[in-house]
Amino acid sequence: MGRAGTIARRSFVVGSVALLGGVAFGYYQYKRPPKNPLLDGLGKDEAALTPYVLINADGITLTTPRADMGQGSYSVQAALIAEELDVALDQIRVDPGPPSKAYYNTALANEAVPLPSTDQSTAANAMRGTVDAVMKFMGLQLTGGSTTVPDGYEKLRMAGAVARETLKQAAAEQTGLAVTQLKTDRGAVLLPDGQRVPYQALAATAARIDPVTNVTLRPSTQWRLIGKPMQRVDMVAKSTGTQAYGIDHRIDGMVHAAIRLNPRKGGDVVSFDASAAEAMRGVQQVIAVTGGVGVIADNTWRAFQAADAIEVEWGPAPYPAAQSEHWQVLTDTLDAAAPDATPRDDGDMDAVDASIEAEYRAPYVAHAPLEPLNATVLVGEGRVDVWTGNQIPRMTQASVADMTGVPARDVHVHILMMGGSFGHRLEDEVVKRATELAMALPGTPVKLTYKREEDTAQDYTRPIALMRGRGSVDGGKVTAMEVRVASPSILDSQMGERQGMNLPGPDSAITQALWDQPYAIPDYRVVGYRPPKLGPVSSWRSVGASQNAFFHENFLNALIHEAGADPVEERLRLMTDAPSRKVLEAVADMSDWGGSLDRNTARGVAFSLSFGTPVAEVVQISQTAAGIALDKVWVAAEVGRVVDPINFENLVQGGVIWGLGHAINSQITYADGMAEQQNFFDFEGLRNYQTPEIFVRGLENRDRVTGIGEPPVPPAAPALAEALFQATGERPTEMPFANTFTFV
């Protein structure tokens, strides 16, 4: 296993550490494998060899507990298991599995400790091991933070290897042959005479023996799948339009629901008149829910129409009503509030006579996935079933159990494929509202679907953020840099208010991808400020790094320009992390940095280390008579191991498009406490005709494996900002850039 896991498991003793309300953990308890949830209700001649491999007469099912939101998560997890199990991807089915502690995320600890990811010392990894133990005992089953591959890279391969060796042992018992005489290939055990015994034929015997856990992972020279181009397991369904998402779910006897919630998020309902709605065709019932009103009807369209017909008097917003007031709160916070944290303070910034100062802004932005929020809930006698796309199944299970009084073990959360998320489905509010409606109709499945406009109005957005920078240069070098940023706390809003997990200490998302950048600037300070409550916020793709990289790299580019230095060369001079240096060198090579450009063409470069993955990007634009055109983008990223080159390239390209589109076009603003934007017409992404040609290179220069779903997003905005400055002489200080520049 990886260095972090090896050290944590070799040296970890938590008995002296009081965490989670005084619970003391020991090494044995930490090492003990969790209960296999697939053993519950196991049928005759079925074998659940690990929590990830189920074999029966119908075939082989691989459990892929990290949610798939279109990023290929199910495929990459299946490939990691299949690599060691000796099956092909066309021989298996995938299933996300039930909510279970067995599926806790082993990679979340890497972001949870107050240490830079570049610190791989023994002490740092011991601290990560301690946090990992806490998360294991909590059973934190969560998809996010680009952790799918680092979480499963060794764990899932090990699960496949255990299943493989257990099946070989079962074949040995059936045939009387020694295990050493047996091999495996494409879902079968091979006997010395060439006979193939399918895994399904061994399931009954394998179910009766203890799993063989003394296994060795195969070397990379024997890999069939990892590192090779793969066809995703959902390719045919996605290509033919037959892929079913949560919004497609159907159950016999199901009714349909729509909802209207206070557009001033978190505000009360003063009164409502549903008489017009109740008289409409197909409407069965109108039900008051927390913060609004729900409609039950015989189809979704009629439910939508009826919900719109309800006359409601809404209470005020529990946050400032006007957008200008939000910005003022951040300004006041930077002016007068005490810091939430100062995670970096090198040198003596107080003694610096700054030669350049700047202020930058990043707006609220919505998640806006193509598939609006939806959930189907059936409240039965002593049992509740929930069908939805969701990234936090155990938290959702606990929420429903609290609401219904049904024990969590009897709340069955069925995770469905999602049509995008970008952090949207790290919330379970849609499930809570659907549960309220279903509690009013016990025994009847209730499917709640949000209108797009309702989805936008009720979104928990990326936090607004305000940054002030000051710094100085000397002798053609950057010598001092201070970044102070104020931003609402995701911990307070998402984890505290909505999940009841009031976590102590600073909110690391406020200064994420600021303090831990691998630059050796002599005087270098990062300060984070937590303002009073503003609009409800949540995790958004790349979390705090999405706006903080814009702040940090945009200001660093301003300092480098002031010094008269080259943006790539000065970064390389300041860089302290070897893999990060290689990323910068790679993107410079890819883009022919320093080569000649056409007169109307300009380039910008930016770097960001987020979620343990260093990424560098160069954006090339051109000035036309109609405005700015995005021409090309070059991206280099270091992940340790590229599991699937095709999906890797797709994720990087998608991240760049996501980052550029929001930097150019997108914002959520408030008036009278309500979001002014409603749908894609006034919350635009990047158009097809605007999309640049994107070149991708994945580097594998270290043993530690990290993810790629989120890290390509942060450098996109500052690289474009620098290109705009080089082209126009005007440096963008606020997103979205379309407020200042014209794009074609």
Side-chain angles (χ1 to χ4, degrees):
M1 58 183 57
R3 186 182 176 201
T6 302
I7 293 173
R9 288 155 179 77
R10 186 183 303 146
S11 62
F12 176 66
V13 177
V14 197
S16 61
V17 181
L19 295 168
L20 290 180
V23 178
F25 312 125
Y27 179 79
Y28 171 74
Q29 289 174 298
Y30 176 52
K31 288 282 289 183
R32 186 171 59 186
K35 178 179 179 293
N36 183 349
L38 302 185
L39 295 175
D40 295 336
L42 203 63
K44 186 177 182 296
D45 295 338
E46 289 188 319
L49 303 180
T50 77
Y52 301 94
V53 181
L54 174 68
I55 300 176
N56 57 25
D58 295 329
I60 302 167
T61 300
L62 304 184
T63 302
T64 52
R66 299 296 161 254
D68 200 314
M69 300 158 271
Q71 81 278 38
S73 172
Y74 288 165
S75 281
V76 73
Q77 292 172 90
L80 290 169
I81 302 170
E83 184 66 76
E84 293 288 339
L85 184 57
D86 267 346
V87 293
L89 293 181
D90 60 4
Q91 292 181 287
I92 57 93
R93 295 187 298 268
V94 298
D95 187 276
S100 172
K101 285 187 175 183
Y103 304 125
Y104 93 99
N105 192 322
T106 60
L108 290 172
N110 293 326
E111 284 292 308
V113 299
L115 298 169
S117 62
T118 52
D119 184 352
Q120 292 295 308
S121 65
T122 299
N125 285 322
M127 182 180 291
R128 293 184 180 103
T130 301
V131 174
D132 182 58
V134 174
M135 292 181 175
K136 178 177 181 178
F137 282 90
M138 291 173 64
L140 199 57
Q141 183 181 355
L142 180 151
T143 304
S146 291
T147 56
T148 293
V149 170
D151 167 58
Y153 182 68
E154 293 178 2
K155 179 171 66 179
L156 297 184
R157 287 190 293 142
M158 189 65 71
V162 167
R164 180 193 71 227
E165 295 305 313
T166 303
L167 289 162
K168 287 168 64 177
Q169 182 63 45
E173 293 195 10
Q174 284 190 8
T175 62
L177 296 168
V179 171
T180 54
Q181 296 179 274
L182 306 177
K183 297 180 181 179
T184 54
D185 175 65
R186 283 192 61 86
V189 174
L190 303 183
L191 306 186
D193 62 1
Q195 181 181 349
R196 298 173 63 88
V197 183
Y199 288 167
Q200 291 93 315
L202 298 167
T205 302
R208 294 194 296 270
I209 64 178
D210 291 333
V212 178
T213 57
N214 185 20
V215 299
T216 302
L217 296 179
R218 290 171 172 171
S220 59
T221 54
Q222 296 180 17
W223 287 347
R224 302 167 296 109
L225 299 171
I226 297 174
K228 313 294 195 303
M230 304 179 206
Q231 179 169 300
R232 281 168 46 165
V233 296
D234 58 2
M235 181 65 70
V236 172
K238 293 283 183 68
S239 300
T240 58
T242 58
Q243 175 66 60
Y245 297 89
I247 205 166
D248 302 312
H249 192 64
R250 298 286 186 273
I251 304 176
D252 289 343
M254 179 176 73
V255 295
H256 300 263
I259 202 164
R260 278 185 69 192
L261 300 174
N262 192 330
R264 303 179 184 101
K265 291 194 289 281
D268 296 327
V269 178
V270 177
S271 65
F272 70 90
D273 179 356
S275 56
E278 291 169 332
M280 295 175 71
R281 181 183 176 190
V283 173
Q284 300 174 9
Q285 196 170 347
V286 175
I287 301 169
V289 298
T290 302
V293 188
V295 174
I296 305 296
D298 58 0
N299 66 41
T300 298
W301 175 251
R302 290 173 180 164
F304 283 169
Q305 297 299 103
D308 286 343
I310 300 174
E311 296 182 7
V312 189
E313 181 183 353
W314 303 114
Y319 48 82
Q323 184 63 37
S324 59
E325 296 176 84
H326 291 241
W327 289 118
Q328 189 60 51
V329 168
L330 296 189
T331 298
D332 294 344
T333 299
L334 283 179
D335 285 341
D340 183 56
T342 305
R344 185 160 189 168
D345 195 359
D346 300 345
D348 186 4
M349 197 66 211
D350 289 333
V352 171
D353 183 15
S355 59
I356 182 172
E357 297 185 2
E359 182 174 288
Y360 301 104
R361 293 183 173 190
Y364 294 111
V365 288
H367 296 89
L370 286 176
E371 180 195 15
L373 291 177
N374 61 86
T376 304
V377 179
L378 171 60
V379 176
E381 186 68 32
R383 174 185 173 121
V384 181
D385 285 271
V386 178
W387 294 267
T388 191
N390 186 271
Q391 296 172 244
I392 49 170
R394 293 197 70 240
M395 292 182 188
T396 298
Q397 182 185 52
S399 295
V400 174
D402 287 343
M403 293 177 66
T404 61
V406 174
R409 65 178 178 274
D410 296 317
V411 175
H412 300 268
V413 180
H414 312 275
I415 300 300
L416 305 178
M417 180 72 80
M418 301 169 223
S421 175
F422 315 108
H424 204 26
R425 289 169 169 88
L426 281 166
E427 302 284 348
D428 58 4
E429 292 299 291
V430 63
V431 175
K432 293 176 182 176
R433 301 294 78 78
T435 300
E436 284 189 88
L437 296 171
M439 289 171 67
L441 288 85
T444 299
V446 177
K447 179 179 181 179
L448 171 62
T449 305
Y450 279 40
K451 287 181 64 175
R452 168 63 61 191
E453 290 78 8
E454 194 71 33
D455 193 331
T456 303
Q458 298 304 321
D459 189 26
Y460 295 97
T461 64
R462 182 186 74 179
I464 191 174
L466 178 67
M467 172 273 203
R468 289 178 184 162
R470 54 188 292 267
S472 64
V473 300
D474 185 49
K477 301 176 181 179
V478 176
T479 57
M481 180 173 173
E482 179 185 64
V483 172
R484 296 190 298 130
V485 62
S487 182
S489 171
I490 292 173
L491 283 182
D492 289 348
S493 182
Q494 180 179 16
M495 302 308 294
E497 293 178 11
R498 297 190 292 283
Q499 293 299 335
M501 299 173 63
N502 294 307
L503 304 176
D507 185 344
S508 60
I510 294 174
T511 56
Q512 184 183 11
L514 289 174
W515 67 275
D516 54 352
Q517 299 307 287
Y519 295 122
I521 301 173
D523 298 303
Y524 194 11
R525 182 157 64 195
V526 173
V527 189
Y529 295 82
R530 189 187 305 209
K533 179 180 177 180
L534 293 173
V537 295
S538 183
S539 301
W540 189 86
R541 189 176 183 181
S542 74
V543 202
S546 65
Q547 68 265 23
N548 287 340
F550 167 65
F551 296 153
H552 188 281
E553 291 295 285
N554 201 7
F555 186 52
L556 180 58
N557 274 327
L559 287 168
I560 292 172
H561 177 76
E562 180 80 2
D566 178 83
V568 170
E569 291 302 321
E570 180 64 357
R571 280 180 171 82
L572 288 172
R573 186 189 71 81
L574 295 168
M575 192 69 67
T576 59
D577 176 55
S580 297
R581 286 183 59 87
K582 291 183 182 298
V583 161
L584 272 168
E585 291 167 347
V587 84
D589 174 67
M590 294 166 65
S591 63
D592 188 27
W593 184 265
S596 60
L597 296 175
D598 294 339
R599 186 180 52 153
N600 294 325
T601 301
R603 287 179 175 177
V605 64
F607 166 89
S608 182
L609 173 61
S610 63
F611 304 96
T613 298
V615 180
E617 298 179 15
V618 171
V619 173
Q620 180 172 305
I621 63 174
S622 57
Q623 290 182 290
T624 73
I628 301 293
L630 305 179
D631 296 331
K632 297 179 180 180
V633 178
W634 294 269
V635 189
E638 169 61 68
V639 292
R641 177 69 67 180
V642 176
V643 176
D644 177 359
I646 294 177
N647 203 42
F648 178 90
E649 182 178 42
N650 291 341
L651 280 170
V652 172
Q653 291 173 333
V656 170
I657 293 169
W658 177 263
L660 291 175
H662 284 83
I664 292 171
N665 294 320
S666 304
Q667 63 181 336
I668 294 292
T669 55
Y670 290 100
D672 192 22
M674 297 178 283
E676 295 183 286
Q677 293 71 26
Q678 303 175 51
N679 208 319
F680 290 122
F681 74 88
D682 56 2
F683 189 83
E684 292 188 36
L686 204 63
R687 302 284 185 162
N688 279 343
Y689 66 83
Q690 294 177 308
T691 302
E693 190 174 7
I694 303 171
F695 305 89
V696 177
R697 184 182 297 179
L699 306 185
E700 300 176 316
N701 292 313
R702 63 184 184 193
D703 294 333
R704 185 163 52 92
V705 176
T706 54
I708 197 58
E710 298 178 88
V713 175
L720 174 57
E722 175 64 12
L724 289 169
F725 171 74
Q726 294 296 332
T728 68
E730 183 175 358
R731 184 173 299 281
T733 60
E734 182 173 0
M735 297 187 284
F737 300 156
N739 289 347
T740 307
F741 301 89
T742 299
F743 293 85
V744 296

